[in-house]
Amino acid sequence: MRILTDKLNDFYEQAFATLFNMHDATKEAYVRDIRTGLGCEDFKLVFAYICFKSYFKEELDKNNINIEVDFEKFYNYMKELLDWNEKINLTAITEDVDFIVKHFVDSLTINKYIENNKTVIDIGTGAGFPGIPINRR
């Protein structure tokens, strides 16, 4: 699994570099700020979110998890948790791809066993898994 994760991370990094370079290569001059309003760092953030959402959706489909997901909430939760993880050791999983599969998808697999509008208690979750992802769907 680690090899796949490394390859996916390399893919996303290469895809960003390619899109960023191709985006500007088709113009007469470097004018990103005029045409898109996005600088390099903002472009990276948007692209990272698009990759996150695409991969997360693919994993949900692959695991037959048929629920509506607010991807932005999950993305923000992941980023916040990873920021806190630098101060307090909450999880050993720090790569986005691993985080999606091992935290979010794993947490949401039990969703099919929870009836609509039922109360669920999750005791001793540490970093909040599976309770927070189940609640954020």
Side-chain angles (χ1 to χ4, degrees):
M1 180 66 169
R2 188 73 198 150
I3 293 169
L4 177 61
T5 300
D6 290 340
K7 286 183 181 181
L8 283 170
N9 287 331
D10 290 345
F11 166 78
Y12 290 140
E13 187 65 34
Q14 182 62 44
F16 167 75
T18 301
L19 284 174
F20 187 77
N21 292 330
M22 290 300 291
H23 177 76
D24 290 322
T26 60
K27 301 177 190 170
E28 290 114 31
Y30 180 82
V31 289
R32 175 177 308 287
D33 291 335
I34 295 169
R35 296 209 180 168
T36 65
L38 293 176
C40 183
E41 290 307 309
D42 288 336
F43 189 85
K44 275 186 176 181
L45 289 173
V46 170
F47 188 70
Y49 174 73
I50 291 168
C51 291
F52 168 87
K53 182 177 177 180
S54 173
Y55 186 71
F56 194 177
K57 173 101 176 79
E58 181 182 314
E59 287 298 313
L60 290 173
D61 291 345
K62 186 167 60 175
N63 288 281
N64 296 317
I65 301 171
N66 301 312
I67 58 171
E68 237 178 89
V69 172
D70 186 335
F71 293 102
E72 189 172 352
K73 281 184 179 179
F74 276 89
Y75 184 75
N76 290 335
Y77 175 58
M78 179 184 72
K79 290 301 180 190
E80 184 75 20
L81 187 64
L82 291 174
D83 285 346
W84 274 101
N85 198 55
E86 292 177 12
K87 301 170 190 90
I88 304 167
N89 186 21
L90 298 169
T91 179
I93 299 167
T94 58
E95 295 294 325
D96 291 4
V97 172
D98 288 336
F99 205 96
I100 292 167
V101 174
K102 294 178 181 175
H103 282 321
F104 292 154
V105 173
D106 283 356
S107 293
L108 294 172
T109 56
I110 67 169
N111 188 66
K112 60 186 168 192
Y113 301 106
I114 301 171
E115 296 177 31
N116 286 335
N117 301 317
K118 293 291 180 178
T119 300
V120 177
I121 187 166
D122 187 2
I123 299 172
T125 61
F129 300 104
I132 292 175
I134 290 169
N135 191 46
R136 288 187 177 258
R137 57 190 168 94

